[in-house]
Amino acid sequence: EVQLVESGGGLVQPGGSLRLSCAASGFTFSTYWMHWVRQAPGRGLVWLSHLNTDGSIATYADSVQGRFTISRDNAKNTLYLQMDSLRAEDTAVYYCARAFRQQLIHWGQGTLVTVSS
Amino acid sequence: QSALTQPASVSGSPGQSITISCTGTGSDVGSHNSVSWYQQYPGKAPKLMIYDVSIRTSGVSKRFSGSKSGNTASLTISGLQAEDEADYYCSSYTTSTTLVFGGGTKLTVL
């Protein structure tokens, strides 16, 4: 069974940093592109970033370019999202997802990030 | 990276059919067949329902169908059931090698 489990969310002050993790199991992690998507409370889904299989090609949404960094450790079957210079508007549930032809076929349960003083 | 345009809400009675539109541009929906639809219940993660415009994922009812014409994709749900009440999002790959979602549509089964 495919499982994606996000962790690392929590309360952080504006300007702070947080690193999210996404532990994958049930599939060959190293052969799939992976994505991060977020959803602010009561709002819609927003795509953030994706990373190719060996971690050499990363693409970001304009809203997080230069502040967020996606990475992966294929030996640990884990995807990461390093979030720096956090703002109140980054408050959201963050999901990782496995891609199939750039469509998000499996999603984790999400982890909540709250940016507030 | 503007969001795809979806109606904020649609509604229908049990047994009826509804269609949710998803309008993009020639840089996303109009130029890729990597158009997908997701269903999301409150407090839950999204679930992929349709990918590559019209292919249902395993286990998804045949009542769900997808199509595309030009820059607009559509999700049709026939024979509406109470369990279909949820939020629905479209998504498309773009020529900038990013993904873009629609704003979401709340489906109410009357």
Side-chain angles (χ1 to χ4, degrees):
Chain A
E1 179 193 4
V2 172
Q3 279 202 312
L4 297 169
V5 180
E6 300 94 338
S7 61
L11 177 64
V12 60
Q13 293 189 336
S17 297
L18 212 54
R19 188 176 83 154
L20 305 183
S21 299
C22 169
S25 60
F27 64 101
T28 307
F29 178 73
S30 62
T31 63
Y32 286 89
W33 287 57
M34 297 293 295
H35 295 240
W36 286 100
V37 175
R38 73 182 178 188
Q39 186 171 34
R43 306 295 296 274
L45 301 173
V46 175
W47 177 81
L48 297 179
S49 180
H50 67 56
L51 187 64
N52 71 335
T53 55
D54 67 5
S56 62
I57 302 174
T59 307
Y60 300 91
D62 290 345
S63 58
V64 302
Q65 177 79 48
R67 298 191 300 125
F68 289 11
T69 303
I70 190 172
S71 62
R72 66 193 297 162
D73 185 334
N74 286 341
K76 294 183 178 179
N77 291 339
T78 302
L79 178 73
Y80 302 100
L81 186 67
Q82 176 67 40
M83 305 186 296
D84 299 319
S85 303
L86 284 163
R87 309 164 179 165
E89 54 264 37
D90 294 319
T91 294
V93 174
Y94 286 72
Y95 296 99
C96 66
R98 178 179 84 152
F100 173 71
R101 292 209 285 265
Q102 303 306 342
Q103 292 150 109
L104 306 182
I105 195 165
H106 285 108
W107 297 62
Q109 85 289 348
T111 187
L112 176 63
V113 172
T114 303
V115 184
S116 174
S117 55
Chain B
Q1 294 176 350
S2 299
L4 306 175
T5 301
Q6 297 181 232
S9 63
V10 297
S11 62
S13 300
Q16 288 185 330
S17 294
I18 63 95
T19 297
I20 299 172
S21 61
C22 169
T23 301
T25 69
S27 297
D28 39 64
V29 175
S31 60
H32 287 284
N33 283 330
S34 294
V35 175
S36 48
W37 290 91
Y38 303 86
Q39 178 190 62
Q40 186 181 35
Y41 293 112
K44 300 297 187 182
K47 172 189 173 184
L48 178 65
M49 304 293 281
I50 300 279
Y51 67 96
D52 288 354
V53 177
S54 61
I55 301 175
R56 285 184 300 275
T57 56
S58 177
V60 171
S61 170
K62 292 181 179 179
R63 298 184 298 105
F64 290 81
S65 63
S67 63
K68 189 183 86 166
S69 177
N71 296 338
T72 299
S74 298
L75 173 70
T76 298
I77 308 174
S78 59
L80 266 181
Q81 298 180 1
E83 68 203 48
D84 300 330
E85 186 162 294
D87 294 326
Y88 292 85
Y89 295 89
C90 61
S91 177
S92 175
Y93 194 53
T94 80
T95 53
S96 302
T97 68
T98 62
L99 281 186
V100 61
F101 284 98
T105 298
K106 180 177 181 60
L107 169 61
T108 301
V109 180
L110 302 171

